[in-house]
C-alpha cells in the first residue's frame, strides 16, 4: 500500500510514465525490506512469506505510483500554484488502489497463510506449505482458482480508501512543509527533500492504516480461515468482532501496524524520490 511524490515539473507528463513505474517498483522493495518484520508481528512467522511479499509489493507499488501519477496528471494537469488538488488526488488514489487490489489479493493470501503456519508449531507436517508456490497450488486445488481471491471485496475497499487517504495526507503534508523549509534554507535542498519525504511519507502511512485497519483485520480472518463455509463478508465479520471485543477488537494489531507504517512508508517515499532523480525526472 503506497505511495508517490506528486509535484513534478514539466517533464513529468505521460511521456515519463514508465520511469514512475520503475521508481515505484523500487519503492515497493524498500517497503518490504523495512516493513515486513513489523508486519509479521500481527500474525507471527517473522520472514515467512517474504518472497511473495517482495513480488507482490513490487508490482503493487509500481502500479500504484504509476497509475496514481498518470491519473492525477490527467485530472488536474499542471496547476500553476503547485498546491495539491483534493478533487484530483482522492479519485486518483482510489482508482490506483482499486486496480492494484486484484493483483495484491493472491499475494497477501499466500503471505498470511505462510505466516500463520509459521506460528502454529503443532500443525502436522503433511498439512504444511513447503513454499509460497506450494501454498498457492494447494489453495487452488482445494478451493478452486477463486480461492486465491478470498476477501477480494475487503481488499478492494481497503486499498481504495487507504490509497486515497495516504496520497491526500502525503500531498498536503509535503506541500505545507516543503515551501517554508526550502525558502529558509535553499543550500540544503537534498537534506530538506529527504526530511520532508520521511515525515510526509510516514504520516501518510499512519493515516492510511488508521483508516483501514478494521478492513485489514477482517480480510486476514477471511484468508486464514480453514472453514469452507466461513463467511467472506467483511462487514459481517467486523460486526461479530465488535460484539465480542468492541472497537478494540476491530483495531487488533494497531500498535505494531502504526510502528511499521511510519518507517515503511517513509522509506518508500525517500526511495521513490531518489529513484526519480536518478532517472532524470525533475521536481518543482
Amino acid at each position: 500500500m503506497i505511495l508517490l511524490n506528486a509535484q513534478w515539473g514539466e517533464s513529468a507528463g505521460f511521456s515519463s510514465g514508465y520511469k514512475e513505474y520503475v521508481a515505484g517498483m523500487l519503492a515497493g522493495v524498500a517497503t518490504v525490506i523495512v516493513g515486513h518484520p513489523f508486519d509479521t508481528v500481527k500474525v507471527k512467522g517473522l520472514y515467512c512469506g517474504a518472497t511473495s511479499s517482495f513480488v507482490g509489493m513490487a508490482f503493487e507499488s509500481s502500479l500504484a505510483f504509476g497509475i496514481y501519477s498518470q491519473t492525477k496528471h490527467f485530472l488536474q494537469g499542471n496547476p500553476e500554484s503547485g498546491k495539491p488538488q483534493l478533487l484530483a488526488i482522492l479519485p486518483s488514489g482510489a482508482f490506483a488502489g482499486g486496480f492494484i487490489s486484484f493483483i495484491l489479493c493472491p499475494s497477501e493470501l499466500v503471505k498470511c497463510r505462510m505466516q500463520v503456519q509459521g506460528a502454529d508449531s503443532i500443525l502436522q507436517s503433511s498439512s504444511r506449505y513447503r513454499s509460497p508456490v506450494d501454498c498457492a497450488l494447494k489453495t487452488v486445488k482445494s478451493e478452486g482458482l477463486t480461492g486465491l481471491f478470498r476477501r477480494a471485496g475487503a481488499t478492494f475497499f481497503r486499498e481504495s480508501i487507504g490509497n486515497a487517504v495516504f496520497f491526500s495526507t502525503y500531498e498536503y503534508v509535503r506541500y505545507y512543509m516543503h515551501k517554508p523549509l526550502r525558502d529558509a534554507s535553499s543550500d540544503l535542498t537534498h537534506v530538506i527533500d529527504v526530511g520532508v519525504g520521511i515525515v510526509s511519507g510516514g504520516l501518510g502511512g499512519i493515516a492510511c492504516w488508521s483508516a483501514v485497519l478494521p478492513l485489514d483485520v477482517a480480510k486476514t480472518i477471511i484468508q486464514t480461515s480453514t472453514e469452507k463455509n466461513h463467511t467472506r463478508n467483511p462487514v459481517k465479520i467486523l460486526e461479530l468482532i465488535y460484539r465480542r471485543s468492541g472497537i478494540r477488537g476491530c483495531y487488533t494489531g494497531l500498535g505494531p501496524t502504526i510502528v511499521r507504517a511510519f518507517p515503511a512508508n517513509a522509506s518508500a517515499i525517500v526511495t521513490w524520490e531518489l529513484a526519480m532523480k536518478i532517472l532524470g525526472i525533475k521536481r518543482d
Side-chain angles (χ1 to χ4, degrees):
M1 282 230 336
I2 297 202
L3 322 170
L4 167 71
N5 184 3
Q7 303 300 331
W8 303 112
E10 294 180 357
S11 60
F14 291 92
S15 62
S16 63
Y18 79 94
K19 295 182 179 180
E20 293 168 357
Y21 288 95
V22 172
M25 181 177 64
L26 296 175
V29 172
T31 301
V32 177
I33 292 174
V34 175
H36 191 79
F38 295 99
D39 185 51
T40 54
V41 172
K42 293 185 293 182
V43 286
K44 312 304 179 181
L46 297 179
Y47 273 95
C48 287
T51 301
S52 61
S53 291
F54 274 111
V55 175
M57 185 60 74
F59 280 105
E60 175 203 359
S61 185
S62 177
L63 291 172
F65 277 72
I67 292 173
Y68 170 77
S69 179
Q70 297 298 296
T71 303
K72 183 176 70 67
H73 179 82
F74 174 78
L75 292 177
Q76 75 175 27
N78 294 311
E80 294 182 2
S81 64
K83 186 175 182 180
Q85 306 295 313
L86 192 61
L87 292 180
I89 296 170
L90 286 176
S92 299
F95 176 66
F99 187 92
I100 63 176
S101 69
F102 296 102
I103 296 175
L104 182 62
C105 186
S107 173
E108 283 205 345
L109 181 141
V110 170
K111 181 186 73 172
C112 287
R113 291 190 174 183
M114 293 291 291
Q115 289 171 344
V116 169
Q117 169 182 273
D120 192 350
S121 59
I122 64 174
L123 189 66
Q124 296 181 0
S125 59
S126 60
S127 300
R128 287 184 174 273
Y129 302 121
R130 296 188 298 273
S131 66
V133 173
D134 182 54
C135 178
L137 292 175
K138 286 183 177 179
T139 298
V140 172
K141 183 177 180 179
S142 62
E143 303 175 37
L145 187 60
T146 57
L148 291 175
F149 291 89
R150 271 198 176 201
R151 79 81 175 100
T155 305
F156 177 84
F157 286 111
R158 187 197 69 179
E159 291 299 309
S160 297
I161 296 171
N163 275 271
V165 171
F166 171 80
F167 285 122
S168 299
T169 303
Y170 165 69
E171 295 270 21
Y172 278 95
V173 171
R174 179 186 183 276
Y175 176 76
Y176 285 108
M177 283 189 66
H178 190 82
K179 190 175 186 302
L181 290 174
R182 175 67 64 83
D183 292 344
S185 305
S186 59
D187 294 333
L188 299 175
T189 298
H190 298 299
V191 175
I192 290 173
D193 286 344
V194 171
V196 171
I198 291 173
V199 175
S200 58
L203 292 180
I206 290 176
C208 167
W209 280 103
S210 296
V212 303
L213 186 59
L215 283 172
D216 189 64
V217 172
K219 72 88 183 172
T220 300
I221 293 174
I222 295 172
Q223 287 185 323
T224 57
S225 174
T226 58
E227 299 178 15
K228 293 184 178 180
N229 295 326
H230 193 279
T231 179
R232 299 187 183 186
N233 187 325
V235 175
K236 290 183 178 180
I237 290 178
L238 287 176
E239 288 179 355
L240 292 174
I241 295 174
Y242 182 78
R243 291 175 185 174
R244 183 171 63 247
S245 306
I247 192 67
R248 293 184 63 180
C250 296
Y251 278 89
T252 300
L254 177 62
T257 299
I258 293 300
V259 170
R260 171 197 184 277
F262 193 98
N265 287 278
S267 65
I269 286 297
V270 172
T271 301
W272 160 261
E273 295 184 350
L274 176 61
M276 291 300 286
K277 287 181 180 179
I278 294 175
L279 291 171
I281 301 297
K282 304 296 183 180
R283 294 181 303 163
D284 291 335

